[in-house]
Amino acid sequence: MQTKPFRIGTRGSPLALAQAHETRSRLMAAHGLPEDMFEIVVLSTKGDRITDRSLALIGGKGLFTEEIEAQLSSGELDFAVHSSKDMPTKLPEGLHLSAYLPREDIRDAFIGRTAQRLLDLPQGATVGSASLRRQALIRRLRPDINVIVFRGQVDTRLGKLAAGEADATLLAYAGLKRLGKLDVPTELLDPVSFPPAPAQGAICIESRVDDDRINGLLSAIDDRATRAAVSCERGFLATLDGSCRTPIAGYATVEGDHLQFRGMILTPDGSQFHEIETSGPADNAAKLGETAGQAIRAKAGAGFFESWG
């Protein structure tokens, strides 16, 4: 019988806290537990502290998880809640992604200050984004646009936009929805022409592989369709690179036992890109993603990847 609260690790941004609260609420409902049986432990990560440079320059995705995973491995935390797209494809020894919450909207939201739609921006407009994928996709559609680095929490980026530092920015629609900012987007971008980051819109929970008690607790809220889709996308990502240094997009959809996947890789300037589609059984999700990654790598040829160096 558990007598002390379960300790949930999270970053301290409003979005990270909203995700931790959603996880706590689902666990309370699934197990009939009171709120005081869960303690949300806020940790500062290197990725949160360094906001003046792109992730590609300071070390990639692990910067948002390192401190949290250290406490998870040591037993100071029982489990941790993350945005799935922030997770490196290789986790520390002894840790795994043990549950996924039902996925939110996968699309990117365009927030325009001088135009309502990306394609309506004036010639030479400035768009702020720290994501290499978004930067490449913007340049693919609008080579004339000047892209600058926008990092920081959602409100920080929106504040920079309001101050006139850019004509527009892009954010994940899932995050805006979780923060109740439904009135912020001026356009929702089509995932076919502007595909999302792998795992975008999905909340994952990380725990110790050998902690059967915690893994049993979390299994009650694991969403099978989200797990399959994200496993496919992470398989694609891992085969190609999986860091924040490369423009990679992709998303899977699951209907019943069937999975459909679309992936894209781009050069950073958006001038070249390759797409791939595949489908198969959802219980073979990770392998489908890996195979798609291998196929698109062969299709692009070695020269394509020189720009990723």
Side-chain angles (χ1 to χ4, degrees), residues 3-40:
T3 55
K4 61 181 182 179
F6 297 102
R7 289 172 59 82
I8 308 172
T10 180
R11 294 163 60 197
S13 72
L15 178 56
L17 290 171
Q19 294 178 161
H21 291 158
E22 181 180 342
T23 301
R24 178 180 65 187
S25 295
R26 288 181 180 274
L27 286 167
M28 287 166 56
H31 296 286
L33 292 171
E35 187 175 302
D36 61 12
M37 280 303 297
F38 298 92
E39 178 187 355
I40 292 177

Side-chain angles (χ1 to χ4, degrees), residues 178-191:
R178 290 185 176 117
L179 291 170
K181 297 181 181 290
L182 296 177
D183 58 337
V184 168
T186 57
E187 179 188 19
L188 295 176
L189 297 169
D190 174 14

Side-chain angles (χ1 to χ4, degrees), residues 87-165:
M87 299 302 291
T89 53
K90 186 171 175 54
L91 301 181
E93 186 78 24
L95 301 182
H96 69 151
L97 301 184
S98 47
Y100 292 90
L101 303 193
R103 195 174 201 172
E104 249 298 355
D105 199 305
I106 64 168
R107 290 174 293 178
D108 280 309
F110 175 81
I111 302 120
R113 185 177 61 84
T114 57
Q116 298 288 296
R117 299 172 66 247
L118 173 61
L119 295 181
D120 292 340
L121 282 170
Q123 189 82 5
T126 297
V127 176
S129 175
S131 159
L132 293 188
R133 172 190 60 88
R134 288 180 181 138
Q135 291 175 3
L137 287 168
I138 290 165
R139 290 169 175 143
R140 171 180 168 242
L141 295 171
R142 289 288 306 271
D144 62 291
I145 281 179
N146 173 40
V147 183
I148 62 172
V149 173
F150 256 27
R151 280 205 56 221
Q153 297 177 10
V154 169
D155 284 337
T156 301
R157 298 190 218 184
L158 293 177
K160 289 179 180 180
L161 182 63
E165 293 185 29

Side-chain angles (χ1 to χ4, degrees), residues 59-66 69 82-92 97 100 199 204 206 234 237-238 241-244:
K61 295 184 177 187
L63 296 171
F64 286 125
T65 60
E66 200 173 300
E69 288 174 330
H82 305 282
S83 293
S84 297
K85 73 173 183 176
D86 289 340
M87 299 302 291
T89 53
K90 186 171 175 54
L91 301 181
L97 301 184
Y100 292 90
C204 66
E206 187 178 23
R234 283 174 60 79
L237 198 59
D241 175 27
S243 72
C244 284

